Amino acid sequence: MLDTRFNTQEKVGLGMQETVNRCESQLAEWLRQAFRAAFGEAQEWESIRVQPATDARFGDFQCNDAMPAAKLLRRPPRAVAEAVLAALPLPPMLTRAEIAGPGFINLTVSPEWLAEQVAALSAAPRFGIPVAGHGRTVVIDYSSPNVAKPMHIGHIRSTVIGNALDRIFRALGYRVIADNHLGDWGTQFGLLIQGYRTFLSDAEREALTVEALERVYVQSYNRSKEDPAWLESCKAELVKLQQGDPENRAIWERFIAISRNEFDRIYKRLDVSFDLTRGESFYNDMLPETIQMLQEKGLAVESDGALVVRLEEEGMPVCIVRKSDGGFNYAATDIATVRSRVAEFNPDRIIYVTDERQQLHFRQFFAVCAKLGCTARLEHVWFGLMRLPEGTFSTRQGNVIKLEALLDEAERRALEIIKASNNDMPEAEQKALAAAIGIGAIKYADLSHDPQTLIVFTWEKALALEGNSGPYLQYAHARVCSLLDKYAEQVPGRDPLGNVLLLNEPVEKTLALQLMQFPAAVLRAAETCKPSVLADYLFSLSQTYSSFYQRSPVLKAEPAVRDSRIRLCAMVAQVLAEGLGLLGIAAPRRI
């Protein structure tokens, strides 16, 4: 069963959906018809696309396809563009179509048509996010802390990037399996078991904590470097564990239970949850079978006593799947894990979110899985490391900032600001708001960067409460909500989203056009596996809204304009709340 599921039909990755942006798709279809009318069906015109204009002075949208079409037609690009615009009359959606430069086609849409389009998105579930993943399954492997070690700030990137992707793919209609693949097996457990018995008192063993286990590991590791006899004793304890010794097994299981309780407490604060939490040990029984399969297919060959898969044709060194001492390594476990996931979930995609240091490892075992017939799309979403200004983190060097300490400090600083500006707010509400703002700041400080960016951690950057930050976006949302509350006092009982939308001013039209881009931003974030795409969009939207608010009176405008503008504001609140939620960040109504 397991082997045959590895040879399923070809998987289809996430593709850009033409319906993701109503404006662009309708304009593109009109231009395709114009190209056909001008030049016939001899060429394939389905590739014609429309995109938002790079300069609003020249229109709302632009099409650049006259240039590549000119090469096929052997005509000047501008002549191609002129023929296209002359072939059909302007549709009602457009007020102007012009040619610029060598052949750019600039399009200006009518305010009335744009108002209809953005209103339709506002009325759609989740502001029009397309169900692009319907019928498809994606497994997302992220966070993955090691048992017996507290989570530190080095874990924050995989956790928040992975969780944002988890939320984004679910919003797109995918069946998502979020898998926390724990590091719960390996040589460190021999060191831990021996240290647990030697370095802890009875009372410490009774009230065992993850911090105590980390301390024990460091002590045992350091002694193993100086005392060969100690190292041999640790190896013996590991062998006993691997052979199923009841006492060592019980100790190991206690390590896992205590660690998972600690992890779950942190995940609850971060509003992160998983569909599965399985350690490396879950796949142990599959390892001999996996190696046998590799040998039977002629993929694994012996080399200096080890078993390796040669990857010279793929431009990589050999992938060791069984060590010379007969032990299995991470590659064997990861190949077995893919086989298990394919058999259980039949996913279209399996996404791994880990740091940059593992790139070769993932390329290697992905290549081995392909040789075994795996057709699921395997992707490594790697991210740059988080460093301190003075260098990298190291548990043994003792310079690790615990993740819990980071969250505590974030909430403490946020609470100070809230108390200074909201003295009338009840204490419980202040603390809840401090958690939303502080943790939101931590998440956004990461998610606003391209994942592959190296981040140098400083408290000032991580907890920034202004500029391009989580609190800035949260405040923008709260400010809109405050405006909506004041409107409700002026016009009780009226739903702002039911008002007539006018878009008479350029800044109103600009804001509406930007709102139209939300579904496309969500889809691009998924396609590129970069939540930063969505973060960039939300920051830009907030800046556009700020410009609109400063230049366009809302509550003091005459009633028809007031009602139209308040509807536009309500749409901004919709998108900010939805977008922040996809990033795992709360959107309080009051700050």
Side-chain angles (χ1 to χ4, degrees):
M1 179 69 171
L2 205 53
D3 296 347
T4 58
R5 292 292 291 275
F6 241 55
N7 292 286
T8 56
Q9 72 276 10
E10 182 180 357
K11 305 292 181 182
V12 180
L14 176 66
M16 290 297 289
Q17 306 294 307
E18 289 211 3
T19 57
V20 69
N21 190 298
R22 300 169 64 92
C23 284
E24 293 171 32
S25 62
Q26 292 183 51
L27 292 170
E29 181 54 35
W30 172 73
L31 277 173
R32 288 175 199 135
Q33 293 176 13
F35 268 89
R36 293 188 192 103
F39 303 112
E41 300 285 352
Q43 303 294 337
E44 177 58 62
W45 303 118
E46 290 305 311
S47 62
I48 300 299
R49 293 290 181 268
V50 169
Q51 63 191 42
T54 55
D55 190 333
R57 293 176 300 172
F58 302 119
D60 302 320
F61 295 92
Q62 66 185 51
C63 174
N64 304 331
D65 288 310
M67 273 72 80
K71 295 181 180 179
L72 295 172
L73 299 168
R74 300 180 184 276
R75 299 190 188 188
R78 193 173 180 91
V80 170
E82 290 171 349
V84 168
L85 294 187
L88 292 178
L90 283 185
M93 69 185 76
L94 292 177
T95 59
R96 190 168 67 251
E98 298 176 319
I99 301 167
F104 299 111
I105 300 175
N106 294 326
L107 307 172
T108 301
V109 299
S110 88
E112 295 78 15
W113 181 79
L114 178 59
E116 291 177 2
Q117 302 305 304
V118 73
L121 278 184
S122 175
R126 310 197 76 160
F127 211 88
I129 296 175
V131 189
H134 178 69
R136 301 179 188 174
T137 297
V138 58
V139 175
I140 307 179
D141 181 325
Y142 67 96
S143 195
S144 306
N146 289 320
V147 162
K149 293 181 180 179
M151 294 178 73
H152 57 74
I153 68 171
H155 292 110
I156 193 71
R157 300 215 72 187
S158 177
T159 303
V160 302
I161 293 170
N163 184 248
L165 292 175
D166 179 350
R167 293 167 182 266
I168 288 168
F169 275 94
R170 288 181 199 272
L172 287 164
Y174 276 80
R175 174 195 180 209
V176 176
I177 310 297
D179 191 351
N180 194 6
H181 188 74
L182 300 180
D184 71 345
W185 201 249
T187 57
Q188 70 268 30
F189 287 98
L191 294 165
L192 274 166
I193 291 172
Q194 180 73 351
Y196 167 84
R197 291 197 173 109
T198 305
F199 299 127
L200 295 179
S201 65
D202 290 342
E204 288 173 321
R205 284 193 289 270
E206 181 67 25
L208 191 61
T209 64
V210 174
E211 287 75 19
L213 288 174
E214 182 182 41
R215 186 176 71 251
V216 161
Y217 171 73
V218 173
Q219 286 179 280
S220 187
Y221 175 84
N222 289 338
R223 184 165 173 179
S224 71
K225 294 299 181 183
E226 302 168 355
D227 184 350
W230 177 265
L231 179 59
E232 290 306 312
S233 296
C234 293
K235 289 180 178 178
E237 295 298 336
L238 177 64
V239 170
K240 288 166 62 179
L241 172 64
Q242 292 172 333
Q243 293 177 344
D245 176 78
E247 184 178 349
N248 278 14
R249 180 88 182 185
I251 293 172
W252 171 75
E253 288 176 349
R254 189 169 179 226
F255 292 169
I256 293 173
I258 290 169
S259 299
R260 286 194 58 173
N261 285 338
E262 177 75 7
F263 298 156
D264 288 345
R265 191 165 56 80
I266 299 295
Y267 290 137
K268 185 176 181 180
R269 291 184 70 178
L270 290 170
D271 191 23
V272 169
S273 60
F274 298 89
D275 300 291
L276 294 176
T277 298
R278 291 175 176 173
E280 298 163 8
S281 61
F282 181 85
Y283 306 97
N284 281 346
D285 293 345
M286 289 183 63
L287 298 181
E289 176 189 346
T290 297
I291 297 302
Q292 182 180 355
M293 178 189 300
L294 289 168
Q295 289 177 300
E296 289 175 351
K297 291 181 177 292
L299 298 174
V301 296
E302 189 170 332
S303 176
D304 296 327
L307 277 180
V308 304
V309 178
R310 300 193 184 281
L311 299 173
E312 289 90 344
E313 291 183 3
E314 289 78 10
M316 291 181 284
V318 298
C319 178
I320 300 173
V321 294
R322 193 177 68 194
K323 297 180 288 187
S324 58
D325 62 4
F328 303 109
N329 60 3
Y330 286 122
T333 299
D334 284 336
I335 295 165
T337 302
V338 171
R339 294 181 59 223
S340 176
R341 288 168 173 166
V342 166
E344 187 171 359
F345 305 115
N346 193 26
D348 298 85
R349 301 173 77 169
I350 305 177
I351 297 171
Y352 298 80
V353 185
T354 76
D355 71 58
E356 62 187 3
R357 295 171 296 183
Q358 301 184 50
Q359 291 180 73
L360 176 60
H361 167 73
F362 279 93
R363 289 200 304 271
Q364 287 181 311
F365 93 78
F366 285 179
V368 176
C369 289
K371 289 176 180 288
L372 282 173
C374 176
T375 54
R377 180 173 162 186
L378 305 180
E379 301 168 73
H380 181 207
V381 177
W382 61 269
F383 52 83
L385 296 175
M386 183 176 282
R387 292 185 170 92
L388 294 169
E390 60 270 22
T392 57
F393 303 106
S394 170
T395 301
R396 292 190 289 275
Q397 292 175 11
N399 69 344
V400 170
I401 297 174
K402 299 298 193 318
L403 184 50
E404 185 168 32
L406 175 69
L407 301 182
D408 288 344
E409 182 68 6
E411 292 186 23
R412 184 189 68 78
R413 295 191 182 201
L415 185 59
E416 285 182 355
I417 295 171
I418 291 166
K419 285 183 174 179
S421 58
N422 289 281
N423 292 325
D424 62 328
M425 185 181 289
E427 184 177 359
E429 191 176 340
Q430 286 182 338
K431 289 183 177 179
L433 186 56
I437 292 174
I439 292 175
I442 294 294
K443 289 185 176 183
Y444 191 83
D446 190 313
L447 295 173
S448 59
H449 291 83
D450 184 297
Q452 296 178 4
T453 303
L454 180 148
I455 294 181
V456 177
F457 174 83
T458 66
W459 288 106
E460 292 72 21
K461 288 181 181 178
L463 301 176
L465 299 179
E466 57 186 20
N468 186 8
S469 67
Y472 174 83
L473 294 181
Q474 290 172 316
Y475 177 70
H477 174 262
R479 187 171 59 173
V480 181
C481 290
S482 175
L483 191 64
L484 293 171
D485 290 341
K486 292 176 182 176
Y487 176 79
E489 294 174 4
Q490 274 192 16
V491 190
R494 179 179 294 180
D495 179 7
L497 292 174
N499 293 342
V500 175
L501 192 60
L502 301 175
L503 305 181
N504 290 330
E505 299 295 328
V507 69
E508 296 171 344
K509 191 176 181 185
T510 298
L511 186 56
L513 285 166
Q514 195 155 15
L515 287 167
M516 290 294 300
Q517 297 304 314
F518 174 65
V522 175
L523 195 53
R524 284 196 305 272
E527 178 64 21
T528 60
C529 286
K530 291 182 177 182
S532 57
V533 170
L534 178 57
D536 290 344
Y537 167 82
L538 295 175
F539 180 57
S540 179
L541 175 66
S542 296
Q543 290 181 306
T544 302
Y545 172 77
S546 180
S547 177
F548 157 80
Y549 183 76
Q550 291 169 13
R551 295 160 59 184
S552 307
V554 178
L555 298 181
K556 294 182 179 180
E558 60 93 7
V561 174
R562 175 201 62 191
D563 292 347
S564 171
R565 288 177 178 170
I566 202 69
R567 181 175 185 180
L568 200 53
C569 292
M571 292 176 179
V572 171
Q574 282 183 289
V575 170
L576 286 176
E578 187 70 48
L580 285 169
L582 293 178
L583 297 178
I585 297 172
R589 288 187 58 86
R590 180 187 177 197
I591 291 182

